[in-house]
Amino acid sequence: MVTERNPVLMERTVQSDAALRRSRLLLHASEALASTSTTADVLVTVPALLCEALSATHVAVVLAGITPSPRGGAATVVSDALTGAAIRDRHSQYYESTMDLTVVHPGLAESIDELGWQAAVCAPLPDLAGAVLIAWDEPQTFYVFDRAVIATLALYIGQALDRAVKHDARAAVSETLQRAMLSPLPDLDDYDLAAYYRAATSQRVGGDWYDVIPGPNDRLALVIGDVVGHDTAAAAKMGQLRNMLRAYLVDRREPPSALLRRLDAANHALGEPTMATAVVAFIDRAPNGGHRLRWSNAGHPPPVVIQPDGQVRPLTGNDMLLGARRGCPRHTYTAPLAAGSTVLLHTDGLVENRAHNIDEGFARLYRRLSIRNFGMPRDLLARLAGEMPGDRADDIAMLAVRIPGRL
């Protein structure tokens, strides 16, 4: 028995299968591009995506002012010429054969022959000075539906790039802001200093800060603080507190508690108060010789003194955080510092962990610190930074100072 096939039904089946493939391709492209965040991500994702999905030989995205790498050779010559025409004319160029390519661009014949391209499409990216180039090593026929798919892909790519360019611009501003907020450490003969900062994994800027300011009579002022939040707004608020405190440290000869009272008074007087924790500490000469630490703590993790023998001593004494209540009392505490000991100030990002409570975090930190001969402060901070997981939900700042004397 022979079953006669219905040509109309077969054609509908073919068309249905093709429509399904196009829908799947566009869905896959949309999902892949939605996962990109930077311009570099898009420029890497698009060629890999379209070469596989369209069985293409070569795919490139060209943006005015943003040059993909590597550059050079016949591919660059042809790509620049084809994309330049599409960007200038603002409509897609379809070349179904080598003849189509060389007729429109006779000066590219040698380069096209070298590449072995026998078909190409160059589609401008909507609202951007850019285009996507797709090339094949076999002749192609671009039907209406094919052209619609390519136009939609160009739209998706343009949207992803527009989002990525804005993301990159915001990131550049954030990084510039953060670099401006992180003070360079002074070059001192008596003290060995080291600092470390890393923003939360999801951000490029945050509200943590540190500062070191030399003062009169061999006094060294240390500051570490943490404004609530992990974004540009937190960094801006941090900058306000940091700069006010720097001015007080340079201008005033007052104990740490008085400086924090002044800072919090200004914090409340100049608009909505910023919630933040901070430690202001002075290292100076003790009246009976040697060195001492005087500090005031506004709701911040306690300073830590690491003795030369590896003994770890958290310095307790904690007042209310900044911005919580106007005029709250603040205290200055004092502790002797042995020669060769190290003072470590840090923000809570160093000890916070979603899998453990904060007390366990402090205990783990103190165990890590109780190792003799860890080296200079930069070695200590490098070791602590290396032991932290890469994916952090909070900013981290550390400041370490070694007291002159024996190792």
Side-chain angles (χ1 to χ4, degrees):
M1 179 178 177
V2 178
T3 302
E4 186 175 336
R5 296 184 178 181
N6 187 324
V8 175
L9 181 59
M10 291 176 60
E11 178 64 22
R12 288 177 179 173
T13 301
V14 171
Q15 291 178 359
S16 177
D17 290 344
L20 180 60
R21 287 194 300 270
R22 289 192 296 267
S23 297
R24 287 176 175 173
L25 165 60
L26 294 176
L27 176 60
H28 179 50
S30 176
E31 292 173 342
L33 291 169
S35 66
T36 60
S37 57
T38 67
T39 302
D41 290 341
V42 178
L43 296 180
V44 169
T45 299
V46 170
L49 173 70
L50 298 190
C51 280
E52 178 182 2
L54 301 177
S55 300
T57 302
H58 177 84
V59 175
V61 177
V62 176
L63 286 177
I66 301 178
T67 303
S69 64
R71 301 287 288 171
T76 298
V77 172
V78 177
S79 178
D80 288 349
L82 299 185
T83 55
I87 294 171
R88 181 183 64 250
D89 298 338
R90 301 309 301 166
H91 64 80
S92 299
Q93 312 281 345
Y94 292 91
Y95 310 94
E96 296 187 339
S97 65
T98 303
M99 180 177 295
D100 289 347
L101 283 164
T102 55
V103 165
V104 179
H105 302 280
L108 301 179
E110 184 176 343
S111 296
I112 292 171
D113 182 64
E114 179 183 340
L115 294 170
W117 293 357
Q118 297 190 41
V121 172
C122 198
L125 303 176
D127 301 323
L128 289 173
V132 57
L133 170 67
I134 311 168
W136 291 265
D137 57 8
E138 294 180 353
Q140 302 289 315
T141 301
F142 301 109
Y143 297 104
V144 173
F145 292 123
D146 299 320
R147 298 185 182 217
V149 166
I150 291 170
T152 305
L153 289 171
L155 175 63
Y156 289 173
I157 295 167
Q159 291 172 341
L161 281 170
D162 181 64
R163 183 182 67 250
V165 168
K166 292 175 180 177
H167 172 278
D168 291 347
R170 290 193 299 269
V173 170
S174 297
E175 289 176 352
T176 300
L177 174 63
Q178 192 70 67
R179 285 194 299 269
M181 294 300 182
L182 296 178
S183 307
L185 297 179
D187 186 11
L188 303 174
D189 293 331
D190 293 337
Y191 299 100
D192 292 309
L193 304 171
Y196 174 88
Y197 173 82
R198 189 170 77 193
T201 304
S202 60
Q203 303 290 335
R204 294 175 180 266
V205 65
D208 289 11
W209 89 94
Y210 60 81
D211 218 341
V212 179
I213 300 178
N217 303 319
D218 295 326
R219 188 190 77 181
L220 188 65
L222 311 176
V223 177
I224 197 159
D226 183 359
V227 169
V228 175
H230 316 295
D231 54 13
T232 305
K237 293 177 181 178
M238 174 268 285
Q240 293 174 340
L241 292 180
R242 167 188 173 273
N243 291 337
M244 286 191 292
L245 183 55
R246 292 195 103 199
Y248 296 147
L249 285 166
V250 171
D251 182 64
R252 303 286 174 171
R253 302 292 181 265
E254 296 176 334
S257 57
L259 293 170
L260 282 178
R261 279 197 298 271
R262 286 187 180 277
L263 178 63
D264 205 24
N267 184 29
H268 280 275
L270 300 176
E272 184 178 351
T274 296
M275 303 291 287
T277 66
V279 169
V280 174
F282 295 160
I283 297 176
D284 56 15
R285 298 285 180 178
N288 59 350
H291 290 79
R292 65 179 179 177
L293 184 74
R294 292 183 295 146
W295 77 95
S296 185
N297 189 334
H300 200 80
V304 182
V305 176
I306 310 166
Q307 305 286 4
D309 62 1
Q311 181 180 350
V312 177
R313 180 187 174 192
L315 300 179
T316 57
N318 204 320
D319 300 320
M320 192 170 292
L321 77 166
L322 302 172
R325 190 178 70 219
R326 187 190 296 267
C328 66
R330 302 200 177 276
H331 305 84
T332 295
Y333 303 89
T334 304
L337 295 173
S341 60
T342 296
V343 177
L344 172 66
L345 306 180
H346 66 88
T347 55
D348 56 8
L350 185 62
V351 293
E352 284 186 335
N353 188 313
R354 293 175 181 175
H356 305 279
N357 63 46
I358 192 70
D359 292 334
E360 292 174 335
F362 279 114
R364 288 196 307 274
L365 172 62
Y366 299 154
R367 285 196 298 270
R368 294 200 300 268
L369 294 176
S370 61
I371 300 176
R372 299 182 62 177
N373 301 322
F374 54 74
M376 306 303 284
R378 63 177 177 274
D379 302 317
L380 170 65
L381 299 193
R383 180 164 61 83
L384 291 175
E387 293 172 352
M388 291 184 294
D391 186 12
R392 300 289 301 187
D394 198 2
D395 312 321
I396 298 171
M398 295 185 285
L399 181 62
V401 183
R402 183 181 172 275
I403 307 306
R406 61 187 175 85
L407 284 172

